[in-house]
Short mmCIF file of all heavy atoms in Angstrom, two decimals:
data_model
loop_
_atom_site.label_atom_id
_atom_site.label_comp_id
_atom_site.label_asym_id
_atom_site.label_seq_id
_atom_site.Cartn_x
_atom_site.Cartn_y
_atom_site.Cartn_z
N HIS A 358 -11.04 -6.37 0.94
CA HIS A 358 -9.70 -6.55 0.32
C HIS A 358 -9.39 -5.35 -0.58
O HIS A 358 -10.17 -4.92 -1.47
CB HIS A 358 -9.83 -7.84 -0.62
CG HIS A 358 -8.49 -8.17 -1.25
ND1 HIS A 358 -7.61 -9.05 -0.65
CD2 HIS A 358 -7.94 -7.82 -2.40
CE1 HIS A 358 -6.59 -9.20 -1.38
NE2 HIS A 358 -6.71 -8.45 -2.47
N CYS A 359 -8.22 -4.77 -0.48
CA CYS A 359 -7.73 -3.64 -1.26
C CYS A 359 -7.50 -4.01 -2.66
O CYS A 359 -6.72 -4.94 -2.93
CB CYS A 359 -6.61 -3.00 -0.59
SG CYS A 359 -5.94 -1.53 -1.48
N MET A 360 -8.11 -3.36 -3.58
CA MET A 360 -7.97 -3.68 -4.98
C MET A 360 -7.07 -2.67 -5.70
O MET A 360 -6.89 -2.68 -6.83
CB MET A 360 -9.38 -3.68 -5.65
CG MET A 360 -10.33 -4.60 -5.06
SD MET A 360 -9.79 -6.32 -5.20
CE MET A 360 -9.93 -6.60 -6.96
N TYR A 361 -6.50 -1.80 -4.88
CA TYR A 361 -5.53 -0.76 -5.46
C TYR A 361 -6.24 0.15 -6.51
O TYR A 361 -5.61 0.55 -7.48
CB TYR A 361 -4.26 -1.36 -6.06
CG TYR A 361 -3.66 -2.38 -5.12
CD1 TYR A 361 -3.31 -3.67 -5.55
CD2 TYR A 361 -3.29 -2.08 -3.82
CE1 TYR A 361 -2.70 -4.62 -4.79
CE2 TYR A 361 -2.65 -3.00 -2.95
CZ TYR A 361 -2.31 -4.27 -3.49
OH TYR A 361 -1.80 -5.19 -2.64
N CYS A 362 -7.52 0.29 -6.33
CA CYS A 362 -8.33 1.08 -7.29
C CYS A 362 -8.22 2.58 -7.16
O CYS A 362 -8.73 3.34 -8.03
CB CYS A 362 -9.79 0.64 -7.27
SG CYS A 362 -10.65 1.09 -5.75
N SER A 363 -7.75 3.04 -5.96
CA SER A 363 -7.57 4.47 -5.66
C SER A 363 -8.82 5.17 -5.44
O SER A 363 -8.83 6.51 -5.56
CB SER A 363 -6.64 5.10 -6.72
OG SER A 363 -5.32 4.58 -6.68
N HIS A 364 -9.94 4.54 -5.22
CA HIS A 364 -11.19 5.31 -4.87
C HIS A 364 -11.05 5.95 -3.56
O HIS A 364 -11.85 6.88 -3.27
CB HIS A 364 -12.38 4.26 -4.89
CG HIS A 364 -13.02 4.14 -6.22
ND1 HIS A 364 -14.23 4.75 -6.52
CD2 HIS A 364 -12.55 3.59 -7.35
CE1 HIS A 364 -14.58 4.45 -7.76
NE2 HIS A 364 -13.58 3.74 -8.28
N CYS A 365 -10.12 5.55 -2.75
CA CYS A 365 -9.90 6.16 -1.42
C CYS A 365 -9.37 7.58 -1.54
O CYS A 365 -9.47 8.37 -0.58
CB CYS A 365 -8.97 5.31 -0.61
SG CYS A 365 -7.40 4.86 -1.47
N ALA A 366 -8.73 7.90 -2.67
CA ALA A 366 -8.14 9.32 -2.89
C ALA A 366 -9.28 10.23 -3.14
O ALA A 366 -10.39 9.87 -3.57
CB ALA A 366 -7.12 9.22 -3.98
N PRO A 367 -9.01 11.52 -2.80
CA PRO A 367 -7.79 12.08 -2.28
C PRO A 367 -7.70 12.09 -0.73
O PRO A 367 -8.75 12.24 -0.11
CB PRO A 367 -7.77 13.55 -2.76
CG PRO A 367 -9.26 13.93 -2.71
CD PRO A 367 -9.92 12.60 -3.17
N CYS A 368 -6.50 11.88 -0.22
CA CYS A 368 -6.28 11.94 1.16
C CYS A 368 -6.02 13.44 1.57
O CYS A 368 -5.18 14.05 0.96
CB CYS A 368 -5.13 11.06 1.58
SG CYS A 368 -4.45 11.27 3.22
N PRO A 369 -6.66 13.82 2.71
CA PRO A 369 -6.42 15.28 3.12
C PRO A 369 -4.98 15.61 3.47
O PRO A 369 -4.64 16.78 3.37
CB PRO A 369 -7.35 15.46 4.31
CG PRO A 369 -7.67 14.04 4.80
CD PRO A 369 -7.64 13.17 3.55
N VAL A 370 -4.18 14.59 3.82
CA VAL A 370 -2.79 14.87 4.08
C VAL A 370 -1.86 14.30 2.97
O VAL A 370 -0.65 14.17 3.10
CB VAL A 370 -2.31 14.30 5.48
CG1 VAL A 370 -3.03 15.11 6.63
CG2 VAL A 370 -2.58 12.82 5.69
N LYS A 371 -2.52 14.00 1.89
CA LYS A 371 -1.80 13.55 0.64
C LYS A 371 -1.05 12.19 0.69
O LYS A 371 -0.09 12.04 0.02
CB LYS A 371 -0.93 14.68 0.15
CG LYS A 371 -1.65 15.97 -0.15
CD LYS A 371 -0.76 17.05 -0.73
CE LYS A 371 -1.55 18.32 -0.96
NZ LYS A 371 -0.68 19.43 -1.46
N ILE A 372 -1.46 11.30 1.56
CA ILE A 372 -0.87 9.98 1.56
C ILE A 372 -1.42 9.18 0.41
O ILE A 372 -2.62 9.27 0.08
CB ILE A 372 -1.34 9.19 2.91
CG1 ILE A 372 -0.80 9.87 4.12
CG2 ILE A 372 -0.84 7.75 2.83
CD1 ILE A 372 -1.32 9.37 5.43
N SER A 373 -0.58 8.56 -0.32
CA SER A 373 -0.93 7.63 -1.42
C SER A 373 -1.37 6.28 -0.78
O SER A 373 -0.52 5.40 -0.59
CB SER A 373 0.15 7.43 -2.44
OG SER A 373 -0.26 6.46 -3.41
N VAL A 374 -2.65 6.17 -0.41
CA VAL A 374 -3.11 5.04 0.34
C VAL A 374 -2.86 3.77 -0.38
O VAL A 374 -2.52 2.73 0.22
CB VAL A 374 -4.62 5.22 0.69
CG1 VAL A 374 -5.17 4.00 1.29
CG2 VAL A 374 -4.77 6.44 1.64
N ALA A 375 -3.17 3.73 -1.66
CA ALA A 375 -2.95 2.55 -2.42
C ALA A 375 -1.51 2.01 -2.41
O ALA A 375 -1.27 0.90 -2.26
CB ALA A 375 -3.42 2.73 -3.84
N ASP A 376 -0.61 3.01 -2.57
CA ASP A 376 0.82 2.57 -2.54
C ASP A 376 1.26 2.11 -1.20
O ASP A 376 1.96 1.06 -1.07
CB ASP A 376 1.70 3.77 -2.97
CG ASP A 376 1.74 4.07 -4.44
OD1 ASP A 376 1.45 3.12 -5.20
OD2 ASP A 376 1.86 5.21 -4.89
N VAL A 377 0.91 2.79 -0.13
CA VAL A 377 1.19 2.33 1.22
C VAL A 377 0.67 0.98 1.48
O VAL A 377 1.33 0.05 2.00
CB VAL A 377 0.64 3.35 2.35
CG1 VAL A 377 0.85 2.76 3.74
CG2 VAL A 377 1.39 4.65 2.20
N THR A 378 -0.59 0.70 1.03
CA THR A 378 -1.22 -0.57 1.22
C THR A 378 -0.47 -1.68 0.51
O THR A 378 -0.32 -2.81 0.94
CB THR A 378 -2.76 -0.56 0.83
OG1 THR A 378 -3.40 0.55 1.49
CG2 THR A 378 -3.38 -1.87 1.18
N LYS A 379 -0.07 -1.36 -0.73
CA LYS A 379 0.70 -2.30 -1.63
C LYS A 379 1.96 -2.70 -0.95
O LYS A 379 2.32 -3.90 -0.83
CB LYS A 379 0.90 -1.69 -2.96
CG LYS A 379 1.44 -2.70 -3.98
CD LYS A 379 1.51 -2.07 -5.40
CE LYS A 379 0.21 -1.80 -6.02
NZ LYS A 379 0.25 -1.43 -7.44
N PHE A 380 2.65 -1.67 -0.37
CA PHE A 380 3.95 -2.06 0.29
C PHE A 380 3.75 -2.77 1.61
O PHE A 380 4.54 -3.73 1.96
CB PHE A 380 4.78 -0.73 0.48
CG PHE A 380 5.22 -0.02 -0.72
CD1 PHE A 380 5.17 1.29 -0.86
CD2 PHE A 380 5.63 -0.77 -1.80
CE1 PHE A 380 5.60 1.96 -2.04
CE2 PHE A 380 6.12 -0.13 -3.02
CZ PHE A 380 6.10 1.19 -3.03
N LEU A 381 2.62 -2.45 2.28
CA LEU A 381 2.28 -3.21 3.47
C LEU A 381 2.03 -4.66 3.17
O LEU A 381 2.47 -5.58 3.82
CB LEU A 381 1.05 -2.62 4.12
CG LEU A 381 0.40 -3.38 5.28
CD1 LEU A 381 1.34 -3.42 6.47
CD2 LEU A 381 -1.00 -2.69 5.67
N ASN A 382 1.26 -4.93 2.15
CA ASN A 382 0.99 -6.28 1.67
C ASN A 382 2.18 -7.04 1.23
O ASN A 382 2.35 -8.17 1.50
CB ASN A 382 -0.11 -6.35 0.62
CG ASN A 382 -1.51 -5.91 1.11
OD1 ASN A 382 -1.78 -6.02 2.24
ND2 ASN A 382 -2.35 -5.47 0.18
N LEU A 383 3.13 -6.38 0.60
CA LEU A 383 4.37 -6.97 0.24
C LEU A 383 5.15 -7.41 1.45
O LEU A 383 5.70 -8.54 1.48
CB LEU A 383 5.27 -6.03 -0.56
CG LEU A 383 4.93 -5.79 -2.11
CD1 LEU A 383 5.62 -4.55 -2.63
CD2 LEU A 383 5.41 -7.08 -2.86
N ALA A 384 5.25 -6.56 2.39
CA ALA A 384 5.95 -6.93 3.67
C ALA A 384 5.29 -8.08 4.33
O ALA A 384 5.92 -8.98 4.84
CB ALA A 384 6.01 -5.72 4.62
N LYS A 385 3.99 -8.06 4.45
CA LYS A 385 3.23 -9.16 5.14
C LYS A 385 3.44 -10.42 4.41
O LYS A 385 3.56 -11.48 5.06
CB LYS A 385 1.76 -8.81 5.20
CG LYS A 385 1.50 -7.67 6.24
CD LYS A 385 0.17 -6.99 6.18
CE LYS A 385 -1.03 -8.02 6.58
NZ LYS A 385 -2.27 -7.28 6.50
N ALA A 386 3.41 -10.41 3.07
CA ALA A 386 3.57 -11.67 2.30
C ALA A 386 4.90 -12.26 2.52
O ALA A 386 5.06 -13.47 2.47
CB ALA A 386 3.29 -11.29 0.81
N GLN A 387 5.89 -11.42 2.70
CA GLN A 387 7.33 -11.92 2.87
C GLN A 387 7.61 -12.26 4.34
O GLN A 387 8.56 -12.98 4.54
CB GLN A 387 8.26 -10.90 2.36
CG GLN A 387 8.27 -10.59 0.91
CD GLN A 387 8.70 -11.76 0.11
OE1 GLN A 387 9.77 -12.28 0.25
NE2 GLN A 387 7.76 -12.30 -0.71
N GLY A 388 6.75 -11.83 5.22
CA GLY A 388 7.07 -12.09 6.63
C GLY A 388 8.13 -11.16 7.24
O GLY A 388 8.48 -11.31 8.37
N HIS A 389 8.64 -10.27 6.43
CA HIS A 389 9.58 -9.29 6.89
C HIS A 389 9.58 -8.12 5.84
O HIS A 389 8.81 -8.16 4.86
CB HIS A 389 11.00 -9.85 7.00
CG HIS A 389 11.61 -10.21 5.63
ND1 HIS A 389 11.23 -11.38 4.94
CD2 HIS A 389 12.54 -9.60 4.91
CE1 HIS A 389 11.95 -11.41 3.84
NE2 HIS A 389 12.73 -10.36 3.76
N VAL A 390 10.40 -7.10 6.09
CA VAL A 390 10.39 -5.92 5.10
C VAL A 390 11.67 -6.12 4.23
O VAL A 390 12.73 -5.81 4.67
CB VAL A 390 10.39 -4.61 5.83
CG1 VAL A 390 10.33 -3.43 4.83
CG2 VAL A 390 9.20 -4.56 6.80
N PRO A 391 11.48 -6.56 2.97
CA PRO A 391 12.63 -6.58 2.06
C PRO A 391 13.20 -5.18 1.86
O PRO A 391 12.47 -4.18 1.87
CB PRO A 391 12.02 -7.13 0.78
CG PRO A 391 10.81 -7.85 1.19
CD PRO A 391 10.28 -7.09 2.33
N GLU A 392 14.52 -5.09 1.66
CA GLU A 392 15.15 -3.74 1.59
C GLU A 392 14.61 -2.96 0.39
O GLU A 392 14.41 -1.76 0.50
CB GLU A 392 16.66 -4.00 1.36
CG GLU A 392 17.46 -2.69 1.67
CD GLU A 392 17.24 -2.07 3.06
OE1 GLU A 392 17.14 -2.91 3.96
OE2 GLU A 392 17.20 -0.84 3.06
N THR A 393 14.21 -3.64 -0.70
CA THR A 393 13.73 -2.92 -1.83
C THR A 393 12.36 -2.32 -1.49
O THR A 393 12.00 -1.18 -1.93
CB THR A 393 13.60 -3.85 -3.10
OG1 THR A 393 12.89 -4.94 -2.76
CG2 THR A 393 15.00 -4.18 -3.60
#
C-alpha cells in the first residue's frame, strides 16, 4: 500500500511517483477521472 512517504524518490526521469500514485488512487476511488 502506497503511504505517500516519498521513499521511492528520486526518480531518474524525475517523475513525482507519490503524486502520480495519489492521482491514480483518486481516479480509481471515483471510478472515473474527475476533471479536477
Side-chain angles (χ1 to χ4, degrees):
H358 187 89
C359 180
M360 302 299 291
Y361 312 127
C362 67
S363 294
H364 270 254
C365 51
C368 168
V370 293
K371 299 182 179 180
I372 297 170
S373 175
V374 172
D376 284 334
V377 170
T378 306
K379 189 174 288 188
F380 295 138
L381 171 63
N382 288 340
L383 277 167
K385 288 166 69 175
Q387 293 296 300
H389 68 285
V390 183
E392 195 57 37
T393 53

